[in-house]
């Protein structure tokens, strides 16, 4: 009987762990941009300097972007086809889970019966986490126009473990850049 009580707890834990590791990604792009002509990139320092995160995290993000773009054949250049910029947003997220409904022996006071007694009720679990958004912008270097933007939203692990932090940043960047370049379908006339 105890095993049946553990099943919902294990299921809830697995759902929570899965939701903590996922990154929700959305991208948008200029349909008139010719993404096939973009082969080289540089970082847009002015935009990156405005990102409100630590310089160490900026370096981690930029290294992850370099690795992703390099694996796709893009090269870093002094006269790039596109400029890459980033910015971030974060917010505190509070989740309240109502669970533990049932009967049990409690230590509450009943005015009609002396001492603790049997009863029922709800138990609440509250958790807080930091949810962050990482935006990666691709700007046409000649036209100085935004041609693609990807955004990843997910829970940030406030961890002291640098390797875990580095891995989480790589995961964010990788999942965002899965959408770049966009697979464009050519409409026939």
């Amino acid at each position: 009987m105890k095993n049946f009580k553990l099943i919902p707890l294990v299921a809830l834990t697995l759902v929570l762990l899965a939701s903590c590791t996922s990154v929700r990604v959305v991208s948008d792009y200029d349909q008139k941009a010719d993404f096939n002509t973009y082969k080289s990139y540089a970082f847009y320092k002015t935009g990156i300097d405005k990102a409100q995160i630590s310089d160490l995290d900026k370096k981690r993000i930029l290294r992850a972007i370099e690795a992703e773009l390099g694996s796709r054949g893009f090269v870093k250049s002094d006269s790039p086809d596109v400029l890459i910029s980033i910015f971030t947003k974060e917010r505190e997220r509070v989740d309240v889970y109502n669970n533990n409904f049932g009967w049990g022996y409690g230590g509450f006071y009943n005015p009609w019966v002396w001492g603790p007694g049997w009863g029922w009720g709800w138990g609440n679990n509250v958790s807080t986490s930091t949810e962050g958004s990482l935006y990666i912008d691709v700007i046409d270097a000649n036209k100085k126009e935004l041609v693609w933007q990807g955004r990843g939203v997910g829970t940030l692990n406030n961890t002291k473990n640098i390797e875990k932090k580095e891995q989480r940043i790589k995961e964010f960047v990788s999942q965002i850049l899965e959408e770049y370049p966009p697979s464009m379908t050519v409409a026939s006339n």
Side-chain angles (χ1 to χ4, degrees):
M1 188 66 160
K2 286 184 181 183
N3 288 340
F4 288 118
K5 291 180 182 179
L6 287 176
I7 291 173
L9 181 61
V10 171
L12 177 63
T13 302
L14 290 174
V15 168
L16 289 176
L17 288 174
S19 68
C20 291
T21 59
S22 67
V23 178
R24 296 175 309 278
V25 176
V26 176
S27 66
D28 194 9
Y29 62 93
D30 180 353
Q31 291 182 325
K32 295 184 180 183
D34 185 1
F35 290 93
N36 294 322
T37 62
Y38 302 143
K39 304 293 181 200
S40 61
Y41 71 95
F43 290 114
Y44 184 56
K45 185 172 174 18
T46 306
I48 293 168
D49 286 346
K50 293 178 183 176
Q52 296 181 358
I53 54 174
S54 75
D55 287 344
L56 292 172
D57 284 342
K58 285 179 191 177
K59 286 181 185 180
R60 290 179 179 107
I61 292 168
L62 298 181
R63 282 193 302 258
I65 292 171
E66 282 180 346
E68 281 294 319
L69 292 178
S71 72
R72 297 168 192 204
F74 290 89
V75 293
K76 202 169 178 183
S77 171
D78 291 333
S79 56
D81 300 321
V82 293
L83 300 170
I84 307 294
S85 186
I86 64 167
F87 68 97
T88 60
K89 290 182 181 179
E90 71 176 36
R91 69 180 180 96
E92 262 325 284
R93 179 176 165 171
V94 178
D95 294 314
V96 179
Y97 302 100
N98 292 323
N99 55 11
N100 298 331
F101 177 76
W103 291 91
Y105 182 76
F108 60 88
Y109 174 74
N110 184 336
W112 304 107
V113 178
W114 178 81
W118 291 90
W120 60 273
W122 286 96
N124 292 328
N125 289 329
V126 178
S127 69
T128 61
S129 59
T130 302
E131 185 172 78
S133 298
L134 171 62
Y135 292 79
I136 300 176
D137 292 342
V138 177
I139 302 161
D140 185 298
N142 294 325
K143 297 177 184 176
K144 304 291 189 246
E145 294 177 353
L146 181 67
V147 292
W148 184 88
Q149 183 178 70
R151 178 184 70 168
V153 179
T155 303
L156 302 176
N157 301 330
N158 295 329
T159 179
K160 292 181 182 180
N161 183 323
I162 300 303
E163 288 81 22
K164 285 184 180 180
K165 187 178 206 177
E166 190 107 15
Q167 185 58 41
R168 184 66 173 153
I169 287 172
K170 286 179 184 176
E171 180 184 343
F172 256 73
V173 169
S174 174
Q175 289 188 23
I176 294 168
L177 289 178
E178 276 181 18
E179 306 280 326
Y180 183 82
S183 56
M184 301 171 58
T185 57
V186 179
S188 58
N189 293 339

